[in-house]
């Protein structure tokens, strides 16, 4: 088994605590509401959102994935960090055993935030993963972050 690590970073004009609440703590309520064309529902199939919980994301009809399951490994409310593992997800598991993500929201000098994300892909024996292989997933994640950013900009009292 090999490990391929990818990182990315983006900035948003939203306070880090608001982005963390929207994208991590309350994503199961917010995301299906503001992005129903892509995400039908997000539900906890085990736990209540804390460490050890398993969250299932159900995608809208017609997409290439039906659902994904993530297990929350660590949740640091003070430092706005979440670490979670993709444990089930359809075709992607032909090449990988699991994916471990870490997302951290930090304050930026302009009052917004810097979101730092790392993804550790634990590949099956003999599989080499290139950045092109995960490009579509990264682009979809960035698109979702932008939708949340726009929603929070338009609704400054939400998660304030």
């Amino acid at each position: 088994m090999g490990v391929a690590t990818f990182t990315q970073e983006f900035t948003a004009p939203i306070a880090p605590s608001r982005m963390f609440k929207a994208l991590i703590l309350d994503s199961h309520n917010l995301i299906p509401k503001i992005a129903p064309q892509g995400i039908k529902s997000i539900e906890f199939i085990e736990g209540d959102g804390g460490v050890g919980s398993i969250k299932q994301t159900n995608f809208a009809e017609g997409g290439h994935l039906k659902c994904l399951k993530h297990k929350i490994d660590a949740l640091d409310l003070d430092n706005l960090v979440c670490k979670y593992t993709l444990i089930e997800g359809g075709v992607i598991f032909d090449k990988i055993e699991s994916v471990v993500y870490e997302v951290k929201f930090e304050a930026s000098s302009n009052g917004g935030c810097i979101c730092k994300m790392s993804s550790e892909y634990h590949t099956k024996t003999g599989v080499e993963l290139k950045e092109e292989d995960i490009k579509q997933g990264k682009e979809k994640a960035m698109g979702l972050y932008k939708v949340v950013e726009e929603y929070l900009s338009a609704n400054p009292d939400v998660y304030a």
Side-chain angles (χ1 to χ4, degrees), residues 31-50:
I31 303 298
K33 182 172 119 180
I34 65 172
Q37 69 284 2
I39 306 220
K40 186 164 76 175
S41 66
I42 300 174
E43 55 204 353
F44 290 103
I45 56 172
E46 210 172 284
D48 61 0

Side-chain angles (χ1 to χ4, degrees), residues 9 19 33 40 43 50 55 69 95 102 108-109 118 122-123 141 154 158 160:
E9 197 174 287
M19 290 292 282
K33 182 172 119 180
K40 186 164 76 175
E43 55 204 353
K55 189 190 304 191
K69 290 181 184 172
K95 293 183 176 185
E102 185 171 288
S108 63
S109 58
S118 69
H122 297 259
T123 58
V158 176

Side-chain angles (χ1 to χ4, degrees), residues 4 6 12 14 24 31 68 79 97 106 117 121 128 147 156:
F6 300 98
I14 308 295
I24 305 297
I31 303 298
L68 294 176
N79 294 304
E97 299 284 341
E106 298 176 346
M117 295 176 282
Y121 289 78
E128 185 180 333
V147 168

Side-chain angles (χ1 to χ4, degrees), residues 4-160:
T5 302
F6 300 98
T7 59
Q8 67 187 78
E9 197 174 287
F10 76 90
T11 58
I14 308 295
S17 62
R18 292 183 68 213
M19 290 292 282
F20 184 77
K21 287 175 189 169
L23 285 163
I24 305 297
L25 300 180
D26 199 42
S27 63
H28 57 289
N29 291 315
L30 180 66
I31 303 298
K33 182 172 119 180
I34 65 172
Q37 69 284 2
I39 306 220
K40 186 164 76 175
S41 66
I42 300 174
E43 55 204 353
F44 290 103
I45 56 172
E46 210 172 284
D48 61 0
V51 172
S53 296
I54 296 178
K55 189 190 304 191
Q56 179 171 308
T57 302
N58 299 301
F59 294 96
E61 300 295 322
H64 68 286
L65 284 177
K66 184 179 177 187
C67 71
L68 294 176
K69 290 181 184 172
H70 294 97
K71 182 174 185 185
I72 300 172
D73 302 314
L75 198 55
D76 184 338
L77 303 177
D78 295 325
N79 294 304
L80 308 178
V81 178
C82 181
K83 189 172 184 176
Y84 58 97
T85 302
L86 177 64
I87 57 172
E88 197 175 303
V91 295
I92 193 168
F93 281 89
D94 291 347
K95 293 183 176 185
I96 62 167
E97 299 284 341
S98 64
V99 185
V100 178
Y101 299 95
E102 185 171 288
V103 183
K104 181 175 186 167
F105 297 89
E106 298 176 346
S108 63
S109 58
N110 66 358
C113 73
I114 302 166
C115 176
K116 297 180 178 182
M117 295 176 282
S118 69
S119 310
E120 251 179 42
Y121 289 78
H122 297 259
T123 58
K124 291 185 176 177
T125 305
V127 173
E128 185 180 333
L129 203 60
K130 297 180 185 75
E131 192 147 10
E132 302 86 61
D133 296 329
I134 61 155
K135 188 177 180 183
Q136 184 182 18
K138 283 174 71 172
E139 287 173 355
K140 286 187 179 211
M142 289 306 299
L144 190 59
Y145 278 49
K146 286 292 174 196
V147 168
V148 169
E149 177 188 316
E150 289 168 11
Y151 176 79
L152 293 177
S153 291
N155 297 278
D157 296 334
V158 176
Y159 306 118

